[in-house]
Amino acid sequence: MEEIRGTSNRGLEVDLSLGEIRPFSISGEDRRLYLGGKGLGLKLLYDRMAPGVDPLGKENVLAFMTGVFSGTGAPCSARFAAVTKSPLTGLMAASSCGGPFGKALKTSGWDALLIRGCAERPVQLVVDTNGGRIEDAGPLWGLDTVETQAALGLGKKDGALVIGPAGEHRVLFANTASGHRFFGRGGVGAVMGAKGLKAVRAEGGAFRIVPQDPALFERMRKRATAYINRNPFTAHAYRRFGTASNLRFCTAGGILPVRNFQSGDDPEADRLSGEAMKERYRSRPSTCKPCTILCGHKGTFPDGSTRQIAEYETVALLGANLGVFDPDRVSDWNELCGRLGMDTISAGGTIAFAMEAGERGLMDTGLRFGSPDGVAEMLEAIAHRRGAGAELADGVRKLSGRYGGDAFAMHVKGMEVAGYDPRGSWGQGLAYAVANRGACHLSATLFPLEVFFGLLRPRTVRAKAEFVRFLESLYAAVNSLQTCLFTAYAYMLEPPASRLTPKPLLGLTMQYLPGLALKLMDVTTFNRLYQAITGLPLSQAEMLRAGDRIHTLERWMNTREGVSRRDDTLPARFLLEDDPEDPRRRAVPLDPMLDRYYRIRGFDRNGVPTPETLEGLGIPAGDSPGRGPQAAR
Ligand code: SF4
């Protein structure tokens, strides 16, 4: 069997309008500067796509990318990325997934799959080691994500990506399924639906992925595993109770979204915690493969069925945020959203907005906080764009534009807010405001540092810009190497520099001397694994510099779509409303954090990357087809 050492540096470019498929080579320079995965996907789109294209039109390019870590057997290395222009925000959307498609694509010999154009009839794309072929998918259209994957008749080494009815009906927050893992916040499923692309199937197994330096790889794999197995967050909380173990931390900090973020806690909330659900459903791991952390779980439900247990974001947004704390109901809705192919965060945020708008007499969907009645029917209606569901399918920003309710429209740049109220975590407020894809909790996770680990004080502006910038760059790199973001906690907190420093001293240094704390931060596990897999040198500083480059390129691409300071904001509720009954939730003073953030990022006061910053990072701002002048707005 042929071998791939790190990457194949080969991609496939597909035009569904023309029915053409052709291979292309990935340059060593792009690989070095953008690492792979998300970063390289953004660069490939930047070279090909002009600003202003319709996200649901044929010019939008949808990239599926593997990374250096994908399929190597390094901890949590099942990951692959999607990158495209989002129909929900009109900006760049990048997403990471641990389903079987990534390894199948990589072992079929391709690092990148770029898809443009729109098919006239529903199609599926089949990728194998020789290239690809476009096949009729008429009989699959209308099937849900589980039925579709079953109908594809996948071999053991194959992997697929499919959409459900929500993608077919271009719900702006439709996502994509690969096995039982979902991804594509911002409407990647709608982009596939608009292209008439029901499924992508990779016939894997033609290549063996081997590290360039097996001895170093084994040493680093052992070190990485030891860090994960020692870290209380990865080895205890996530492995035993799943991401829903976040819930108890969030209620303790008053940052759980309850009733459209009107409250930060509820006496009933604990029913949705990972700990309570573990007991109720006798949970056991059901994860991305391979995975060392094991945050995904399945369980046995009261009706005897075995199902995936809802993640934190789902119990927060589709449970507590609707005022519904019954885990059986939330689990049903979780499964329904999965089958329909719909992001649970945006679905929950949009239904919560409709509930509050109903209370205030702005619109009436019949949905009420605290009542599960009608929610399942509304999710179906959204996915099929029926009745009121047709309007909810466009998300909170468009709903508030039609009906009013800006004061409680909980979105940033059009993307619904994830499960952490930034009034109890001001750094998270900055992270949401500046995240490239909207109110994303995975651009920079400040809430664990502020609320879970107690390393930064949650309601101060001090040091927040520095840590948002650092985590943005680290996560951009991790999502480009293609491993799970959750490894970052273990790799960052378990090396001796962090572990042996007494926690109060570590916290004080981070809070008052953030520059020094970040200089001492050891995340070399990532770049040493990269070296072992590829045989190419990469220092920690070079890796973080690549993260800076990737994040700034994404920002620049958004700048060309018209994004500036006025978009880097938060919902009015977070900026203006203190909670009189809860001192843990105070309006977020965004402006001083924003000023500092722009300064250390090398953006001007309006949030635009300066020419010096672009040049310093090697981001070409010249005039190729994808590099038009900044869009006027
Ligand atoms: S920790 Fe969770 S999200 Fe990350 S790779 Fe493992 S199962 Fe997937």
Side-chain angles (χ1 to χ4, degrees), residues 453-465:
F453 308 147
L455 289 168
L456 291 174
R457 283 174 23 230
R459 285 167 298 279
T460 171
V461 301
R462 186 187 280 271
K464 301 304 166 61

Side-chain angles (χ1 to χ4, degrees), residues 463-531:
K464 301 304 166 61
E466 283 82 353
F467 276 91
V468 167
R469 184 249 173 110
F470 170 76
L471 289 174
E472 282 175 344
S473 296
L474 176 63
Y475 290 0
V478 171
N479 277 328
S480 301
L481 299 172
Q482 292 303 155
T483 180
C484 179
L485 276 188
F486 297 153
T487 61
Y489 296 123
Y491 298 174
M492 203 160 52
L493 296 174
E494 294 306 322
S498 302
R499 189 165 55 95
L500 300 179
T501 308
K503 189 177 150 190
L505 183 60
L506 182 62
L508 277 174
T509 312
M510 288 168 65
Q511 190 77 73
Y512 293 99
L513 298 167
L516 176 66
L518 290 174
K519 268 205 181 77
L520 297 176
M521 198 73 84
D522 174 1
V523 287
T524 49
T525 305
F526 289 115
N527 54 289
R528 298 278 286 152
L529 274 167
Y530 176 97
Q531 287 176 336

